[in-house]
Amino acid sequence: MAHIQRDRKKLLTRVRRIAGQVAALEHALEAGDDCDAVLVQIAAAKGAMHGLMLEVMAGHLSDHVVAEKDPARRAGEAAVLLELLKRHAR
């Protein structure tokens, strides 16, 4: 996936931010923080993961669907994206 390689630095930055949020969540649980603090950490990690997924999906859509010249490949790549969206919406 060319967009993964092209955007590697930006994606890794997001992943590292997610790792920090998960570490903060672990720390909150180990420290016995109140449930509201734990919920905030969970929401932050979930939001960051969602943002990462949207970033990769946008690259897939742009590079593998919109820019694809071959109609059969374009339809196949669109189907991949649609299946992912269906699974994510559950």
Side-chain angles (χ1 to χ4, degrees):
M1 294 190 148
H3 60 97
I4 296 288
Q5 296 308 314
R6 179 186 66 229
D7 299 334
R8 181 190 326 217
K9 185 176 180 179
K10 179 170 54 172
L11 295 173
L12 284 172
T13 298
R14 283 181 174 266
V15 168
R16 290 179 182 121
R17 188 175 311 125
I18 292 165
Q21 289 168 326
V22 170
L25 172 59
E26 181 180 12
H27 177 74
L29 289 169
E30 286 176 345
D33 287 0
D34 290 334
C35 62
D36 59 334
V38 171
L39 287 169
V40 166
Q41 291 298 330
I42 292 169
K46 181 181 176 188
M49 197 63 123
H50 182 74
L52 173 65
M53 189 167 107
L54 289 177
E55 186 76 29
V56 174
M57 287 173 74
H60 183 86
L61 181 62
S62 146
D63 287 14
H64 299 290
V65 179
V66 174
E68 179 57 56
K69 304 283 188 242
D70 179 22
R73 284 184 57 128
R74 183 173 43 247
E77 294 295 341
V80 166
L81 194 55
L82 225 107
E83 185 58 35
L84 178 63
L85 285 169
K86 285 178 187 175
R87 276 191 244 145
H88 179 66
R90 289 184 195 168

